[in-house]
C-alpha cells in the first residue's frame, strides 16, 4: 500500500505543537509563521462569531486548537496578540450558553493561562468569570468556573497576601449579598468565602462580614450556608491544618542506611538530596511564627446587634420560611453568640419554653442551645422557670431513664454557667436520683451533686455536702455566690506557692529546734537570696526595720485600765459562732473572706526564678490531683474549653450507649487496637519492623537460613575435635565474652 496523502490543513494542524515548540525556542525566526496562524485564528473567530449555532464540528475543533496554540505562545508576541484576551472574554461573555462544552472549557483555560503568564491581571479575570458563575444554568460550567476562581485566588496569595485583590473580591461578594437578599446568587459568595477561610487565605473581619450578610439574607440556602460557617468553619480550618501537618514524614535513618548498603547511583543521590531539602523545609516551617487565626465569632463587629437581628428575623418572625431544622441551626448560632460574648436577650429564654418537652424532635439540641445561651450575667429569674420545666417534664419516676439522664445533664450544664438558677428544694430533690438503678441517671445526678458541692454547698443537706465542702463552709473559703459577682483576678496557683512556703518555713524552724509558729521576715529574705542565685540586686527597703509591722487601725484599738474587761473565752467563742444579725457584719465578714483569698505574695515581694519554677510544678501537681481517680467523662468536662460548643451528644450522656448493638460494641472495643487478624511472635514482629525499615538480618538469622549442605563440613569438624581442641575453643569463648566479644564492646 502507498502512503496516505495528508491535506494542507491537516498538515498545518498536525504541525501546531511542533511550531509551538519552535516558537518558544526562537520567537524571532518563526514570527512570520505565527502571524499566518494568527490570521487563520482571526478568520475562524469571525466565522464562528457570525453564527455560533451553525458551526461545523471540524470548524470547532480547528478553532479550539488555534486558541490553544495562540494562548501558549502569546507572551512571545505581546504586540501582535494584544486583542487576543479581549476576544476570548467577548466570546465567553456573549456566547457561554451556546458554546460547545470542550470549546467553552478551552476558552476558560486559555484565560487562566494568560493570567498565569501575567498578560491579564486577576481583577480582569474575575470580572469576566464571576458574573457568568452566578448566572449560568450549566452545572459543569459552574463547577469549572468555581475551581478556576479558587485556584487563581490561592496562587495570587501563595507567596504573600495580595490585599488589593482580596479587598476587591470581598467588596464584590458583599455587594452581591447586600444588593438582593432574596436571590439565590449569594450562595456562591458563601461557598467562595468559606473555602478561602478554610484554606486560611481570608482570615480577617471582612470575610466574617460577608458571612454575616449571608446569615441575614432572605433566601433559605444562603441563610443556612452563612449559619453553618459560623458553627463549623473554624473546625474545618483546624481539621485541614491537622491533615497538612500529619503528612508522611521522611525516615532519614532508613535512607542513610540504604545509601551506605546499596549500590551507589545518581538516582539514590538525588533521592537523598530531595529528602534532605524536604526535611529542611519542614524544619523551617516549624520555626516560623504561627499565624493568629481568630475564630469567626470573635471577629464580629457588633455581636449584640447581630444576635438580636438573627433572633427577631428568623425565629420570632412568624413569616419566616425556615423549617424546624434550619431554625434550630439559627438558634444554635444565637445561643453561641450569647454565651460567648455574654450578651443579654431576655426574650430568647421565653422562646425555649414551648420546645422543652420529651416529645419534641431534636429536643437534646434545644437543651444544648439553652445551656449555651446561659452565662453568669443572665438574671436567675429568667432561668428558674426553664429549669423547673425541665425537671417537671424530663426528671420523674415515670420518665424513661434516657429522658431523665438528658434532663439532669441539661440542668447541670445550665447551673455550671449560672448556679443561681437553682433553688434548694429542687436541688435536694434532684440529688436523690443518684440512687437510681440506671447508670446514666446516676452519673448525671452525681455530676449535679459534685457541682453544687463546689459552688453552692449551703443549698445541700448536711449529709450530702461532703467533707471538703463542709470544712470550706466552716472556714469561710466557700460561700454563696452573688449575682454579677466576678472572681478576683490574680496569678493562678499563687495560694499554693504561699502555702508551700509557709510549710517549708515551719519545717526549717522545727529542724533548728525553734517554735514553728514564730518566724521573721529575715528568714524569708535569706531564702530569697538563695533563690536568686547569681542575682546581686537587694531591696532598698529595709533590712533595718526587720520587715513589715502589722499595725491595727484606730477603730480596733481598745484601751482598758483593768483586766476585768477581758471577755470570757467561752462567751467569746459562742458569740463568734452565733450568726450575725446586721448587714454591716455580713459585709465585714465577706470582706475578711475576700481578703483571706487574696494572696499577699504578689504585693509584698518579687517572685524569684525558683519561685516561678516551683509555681509551675505546684500547678501541674494540683491539676493531676484534681483529675486523678475520676471517670473519663469528668476529665472531658474539665478539659472542655469555654469557647467550645455544647452538643446534643453531651446532653444525652451515657444513655446513648444503651441503643448500640452488639456489633457496634465489638467495633468500639476493637477501636485503636490495630489489625490483629494474624498472630505473630515477638521475633516475627521485630523481623517485620526491620524489613519495613530497610535493615538487614543478624548473623544468627543468616546462619539459620544457610543451605544444609554448606553446614555439613563444620558439623563434621565439631564431631572429630579432640578434647584439647574442645578445651581451647571453650576457653577462647570465655575470654571473648569477658572482653565483650570479638570487637570488645563490653564498655559501650
Amino acid at each position: 500500500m502507498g502512503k496516505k496523502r495528508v491535506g494542507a490543513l491537516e498538515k498545518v494542524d498536525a504541525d501546531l505543537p511542533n511550531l509551538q515548540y519552535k516558537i518558544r525556542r526562537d520567537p524571532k525566526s518563526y514570527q512570520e509563521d505565527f502571524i499566518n496562524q494568527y490570521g487563520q485564528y482571526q478568520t475562524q473567530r469571525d466565522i464562528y462569531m457570525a453564527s455560533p449555532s451553525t458551526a461545523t464540528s471540524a470548524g470547532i475543533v480547528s478553532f479550539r486548537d488555534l486558541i490553544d496554540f495562540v494562548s501558549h505562545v502569546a507572551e512571545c508576541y505581546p504586540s501582535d496578540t494584544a486583542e487576543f484576551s479581549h476576544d476570548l472574554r467577548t466570546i465567553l461573555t456573549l456566547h457561554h450558553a451556546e458554546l460547545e462544552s470542550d470549546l467553552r472549557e478551552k476558552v476558560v483555560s486559555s484565560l487562566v493561562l494568560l493570567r498565569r503568564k501575567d498578560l491579564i491581571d486577576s481583577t480582569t479575570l474575575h470580572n469576566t468569570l464571576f458574573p457568568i458563575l452566578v448566572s449560568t444554568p450549566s452545572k459543569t460550567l459552574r463547577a469549572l468556573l468555581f475551581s478556576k476562581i479558587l485556584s487563581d485566588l490561592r496562587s495570587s496569595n501563595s507567596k504573600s497576601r495580595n490585599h488589593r485583590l482580596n479587598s476587591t473580591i470581598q467588596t464584590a461578594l458583599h455587594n452581591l449579598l447586600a444588593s438582593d437578599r432574596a436571590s439565590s446568587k449569594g450562595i456562591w459568595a458563601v461557598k467562595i468565602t468559606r473555602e478561602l477561610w478554610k484554606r486560611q487565605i481570608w482570615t480577617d473581619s471582612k470575610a466574617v462580614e460577608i458571612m454575616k450578610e449571608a446569615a441575614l439574607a432572605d433566601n433559605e440556602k444562603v441563610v443556612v450556608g452563612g449559619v453553618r460557617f459560623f458553627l463549623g468553619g473554624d473546625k474545618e480550618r483546624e481539621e485541614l491544618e491537622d491533615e497538612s501537618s500529619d503528612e508522611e514524614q521522611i525516615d532519614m535513618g532508613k535512607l542513610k542506611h540504604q545509601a551506605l548498603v546499596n549500590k551507589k547511583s545518581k538516582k539514590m543521590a538525588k533521592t537523598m538530596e530531595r529528602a534532605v531539602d524536604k526535611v529542611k523545609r519542614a524544619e523551617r516551617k516549624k520555626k516560623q511564627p504561627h499565624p493568629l487565626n481568630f475564630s469567626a465569632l470573635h471577629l464580629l463587629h457588633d455581636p449584640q446587634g447581630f444576635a438580636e437581628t438573627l433572633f427577631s428575623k428568623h425565629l420570632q418572625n412568624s413569616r419566616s420560611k425556615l423549617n424546624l431544622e434550619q431554625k434550630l441551626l439559627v438558634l444554635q448560632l444565637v445561643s453561641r453568640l450569647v454565651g460567648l460574648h455574654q450578651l443579654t436577650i431576655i426574650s430568647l429564654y421565653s422562646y425555649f419554653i414551648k420546645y422543652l418537652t420529651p416529645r419534641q424532635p431534636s429536643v437534646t439540641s434545644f437543651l444544648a442551645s439553652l445551656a449555651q445561651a446561659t452565662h453568669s450575667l443572665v438574671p436567675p429569674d429568667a432561668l428558674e422557670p426553664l429549669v423547673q420545666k425541665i425537671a417537671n417534664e424530663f426528671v420523674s419516676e415515670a420518665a424513661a431513664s434516657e429522658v431523665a439522664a438528658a434532663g439532669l445533664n441539661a440542668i447541670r450544664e445550665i447551673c455550671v454557667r449560672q448556679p443561681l438558677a437553682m433553688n434548694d428544694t429542687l436541688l435536694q430533690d434532684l440529688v436523690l436520683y443518684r440512687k437510681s438503678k440506671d447508670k446514666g441517671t446516676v452519673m448525671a445526678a452525681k455530676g449535679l451533686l459534685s457541682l453544687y458541692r463546689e459552688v453552692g454547698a449551703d443549698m445541700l443537706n448536711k449529709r450530702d455536702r461532703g467533707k471538703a465542702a463542709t470544712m470550706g463552709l466552716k472556714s469561710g473559703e466557700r460561700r454563696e455566690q452573688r449575682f454579677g459577682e466576678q472572681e478576683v483576678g490574680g496569678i493562678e496557683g499563687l495560694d499554693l506557692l504561699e502555702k508551700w512556703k509557709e510549710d517549708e518555713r515551719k519545717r526549717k524552724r522545727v529542724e533548728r529546734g525553734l517554735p514553728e509558729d514564730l518566724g521573721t521576715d529575715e528568714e524569708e529574705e535569706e531564702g530569697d537570696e538563695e533563690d536568686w542565685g547569681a542575682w546581686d540586686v537587694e531591696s532598698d527597703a529595709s533590712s533595718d526595720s526587720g520587715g513589715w509591722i502589722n499595725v491595727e487601725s484606730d477603730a480596733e484599738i481598745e484601751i482598758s485600765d483593768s483586766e476585768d474587761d477581758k471577755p470570757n473565752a467561752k462567751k467569746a467563742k459562742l458569740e463568734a459562732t452565733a450568726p450575725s444579725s446586721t448587714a454591716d457584719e455580713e459585709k465585714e465578714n465577706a470582706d475578711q473572706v475576700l481578703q483571706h483569698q487574696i494572696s499577699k505574695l504578689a504585693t509584698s515581694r518579687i517572685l524569684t526564678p525558683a519561685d516561678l519554677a516551683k509555681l509551675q510544678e505546684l500547678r501541674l501537681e494540683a491539676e493531676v490531683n484534681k483529675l486523678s481517680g475520676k471517670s473519663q467523662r469528668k476529665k472531658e468536662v474539665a478539659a472542655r474549653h469555654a469557647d467550645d460548643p455544647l452538643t446534643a451528644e453531651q446532653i444525652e450522656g451515657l444513655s446513648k450507649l444503651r441503643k448500640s448493638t452488639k456489633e457496634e460494641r465489638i467495633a468500639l472495643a476493637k477501636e485503636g487496637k490495630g489489625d490483629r487478624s494474624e498472630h505473630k511472635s515477638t521475633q516475627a514482629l521485630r523481623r517485620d519492623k526491620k524489613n519495613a525499615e530497610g535493615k538487614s538480618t543478624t548473623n544468627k538469622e543468616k546462619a539459620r537460613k544457610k543451605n544444609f549442605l554448606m553446614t555439613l563440613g563444620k558439623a563434621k569438624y565439631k564431631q572429630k575435635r579432640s578434647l584439647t581442641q574442645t578445651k581451647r575453643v571453650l576457653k577462647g569463648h570465655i575470654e571473648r565474652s569477658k572482653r565483650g566479644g570479638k570487637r570488645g564492646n563490653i564498655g559501650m
Side-chain angles (χ1 to χ4, degrees), residues 40-52 54-56 59:
Q40 290 190 16
Y41 153 75
Q42 290 176 333
T43 304
Q44 294 279 358
R45 177 200 64 195
D46 295 337
I47 295 173
Y48 188 83
M49 292 291 287
S51 177
T54 60
T56 61

Side-chain angles (χ1 to χ4, degrees), residues 373-411:
T374 307
H375 53 85
S376 60
L377 299 180
V378 178
D381 298 338
L383 294 174
E384 279 187 16
L386 297 172
V387 174
Q388 188 68 45
K389 181 166 185 182
I390 294 173
N392 294 337
E393 294 281 346
F394 290 83
V395 188
S396 64
E397 296 179 357
S401 57
E402 295 87 353
V403 175
L408 286 170
N409 285 328
I411 292 174

Side-chain angles (χ1 to χ4, degrees), residues 598-609:
I598 299 175
S599 177
K600 296 179 181 179
L601 275 180
T603 57
S604 61
R605 58 180 293 175
I606 300 175
L607 296 180
T608 62

Side-chain angles (χ1 to χ4, degrees), residues 333-368:
L333 176 56
V334 174
S335 63
R336 285 286 307 275
L337 289 170
V338 171
L340 183 62
H341 295 281
Q342 293 190 344
L343 309 178
T344 304
I345 305 178
I346 300 300
S347 57
L348 172 64
Y349 304 100
S350 60
Y351 177 80
F352 282 99
I353 288 289
K354 59 182 178 181
Y355 297 106
L356 298 181
T357 58
R359 295 177 296 276
Q360 172 67 39
S362 305
V363 66
T364 51
S365 299
F366 282 101
L367 292 173

Side-chain angles (χ1 to χ4, degrees), residues 41 254 258:
Y41 153 75
K254 177 181 177 181
Q258 290 178 350

Side-chain angles (χ1 to χ4, degrees), residues 16-35:
L16 279 179
N18 189 20
L19 180 59
Q20 174 184 332
Y21 173 75
K22 292 177 180 179
I23 288 175
R24 295 179 68 88
R25 295 287 298 268
D26 190 3
K28 293 182 179 180
S29 302
Y30 295 93
Q31 186 173 5
E32 185 177 352
D33 296 333
F34 171 76
I35 292 175

